[in-house]
Amino acid sequence: MQPMTRRNMLSRTSCLGTAVAVGLPLISAGTEELPGQQSSTTKAKLKVVVTGGHPGDPEYGCGGTIALYSDLGHDVVLLYLNKGEGNDKTAHDPNPVRVAEATKASEILKARPSFAGQIDGKAIVDQVHYEQFHRLMEAEQPDVVFTQWPIDNHPDHRAISLLSYEAWLRMGKRFALFYYEVSDGEDTVQFAPTHYVDITGTEPRKRSACYAHASQAPDRFYALQELVTRMRGIESGHKQAEGYIHLVQSPVVALP
Ligand SMILES: [Zn+2]
């Protein structure tokens, strides 16, 4: 993808519901901030962390946005709560399938995979795991974090959302925090975006990254997620879009 001009970057991003002009990651001029908030959009290179309950969640919820960020030269990490294995099998398997799939998906999106070490379907949210996850996030020093919306029918999705929120609090609310949606109705419930990113140009790479998770019935799940991105596209005036909810107390930063 060619570097985008400021004009077409502005046109790519729609912001509804709040009077926020979304910042430009590589061009600091023109960034606006909410009163009392600071923006880190003046940094030339952003660290973007996308947290998800399982391998595949960041890709399904944010894959088009991730591809835009990485194409712009930003550093993107996909931080998965677990390795997609429901017991300790992964620890003894030298070639765990879902880790290989996540690695391939990350390569397609030019991101780096990372794993928080929990077990699929047995997410734990307590003081020990808040502290462990906080340390992981401190090591990354993110400018922007995307995580799952906390009202969700999968307990691992709720867990990663709470762990991410607690890390944001413990780190002094200093990174921008956005929530994303997956498999609405089945998983995410009652999600009303405040921001949209036009992913029309990067949707094919998002699709490839999702299909890299070949063990996870991508025909079924991608069809469902594409309904969501087409609906968000209708809402925001694009062919396909990803919708986000910006946490109002977090900095206003840089959607691509
Ligand atoms: Zn999941």
Side-chain angles (χ1 to χ4, degrees), residues 53-54 57 148 154 157:
H54 310 97
D57 285 316
Q148 297 194 243
H154 199 300
H157 298 174

Side-chain angles (χ1 to χ4, degrees), residues 126-146:
D126 61 9
Q127 286 302 321
V128 170
H129 290 81
Y130 275 141
E131 181 54 33
Q132 184 250 3
F133 196 78
H134 173 211
R135 285 198 302 273
L136 287 175
M137 293 287 267
E138 280 283 3
E140 297 292 353
Q141 290 294 308
D143 300 296
V144 190
V145 171
F146 295 84

Side-chain angles (χ1 to χ4, degrees), residues 25-201:
L26 293 176
I27 305 168
S28 59
T31 299
E32 296 181 17
E33 297 169 7
L34 287 175
Q37 294 184 323
Q38 291 188 335
S39 167
S40 59
T41 52
T42 50
K43 286 180 66 173
K45 186 170 184 175
L46 295 172
K47 169 62 80 70
V48 181
V49 175
V50 186
T51 71
H54 310 97
D57 285 316
E59 297 91 322
Y60 274 83
C62 313
T65 303
I66 292 166
L68 289 168
Y69 270 125
S70 53
D71 285 349
L72 288 166
H74 301 300
D75 187 9
V76 187
V77 176
L78 310 188
L79 176 53
Y80 308 108
L81 183 61
N82 58 61
K83 293 181 175 177
E85 295 289 353
N87 48 40
D88 64 352
K89 179 182 166 196
T90 305
H92 304 290
D93 185 347
N95 298 298
V97 170
R98 296 197 64 185
V99 171
E101 291 174 346
T103 301
K104 183 178 174 187
S106 297
E107 284 171 4
I108 291 167
L109 297 175
K110 292 189 280 184
R112 171 168 60 84
S114 182
F115 299 89
Q118 291 218 28
I119 303 299
D120 188 4
K122 297 180 180 176
I124 302 170
V125 178
D126 61 9
Q127 286 302 321
V128 170
H129 290 81
Y130 275 141
E131 181 54 33
Q132 184 250 3
F133 196 78
H134 173 211
R135 285 198 302 273
L136 287 175
M137 293 287 267
E138 280 283 3
E140 297 292 353
Q141 290 294 308
D143 300 296
V144 190
V145 171
F146 295 84
T147 192
Q148 297 194 243
W149 178 240
I151 306 174
D152 189 292
N153 292 326
H154 199 300
D156 294 349
H157 298 174
R158 298 195 297 273
I160 193 69
S161 190
L162 293 177
L163 291 165
S164 300
Y165 188 86
E166 181 67 16
W168 175 77
L169 287 174
R170 293 184 184 205
M171 292 170 71
K173 304 181 178 180
R174 67 177 183 260
F175 54 78
L177 184 55
F178 290 92
Y179 292 94
Y180 67 84
E181 55 188 334
V182 290
S183 297
D184 295 54
E186 290 190 8
D187 290 344
T188 299
V189 180
Q190 222 167 309
F191 189 88
T194 59
H195 291 67
Y196 297 84
V197 174
D198 177 9
I199 64 156
T200 306

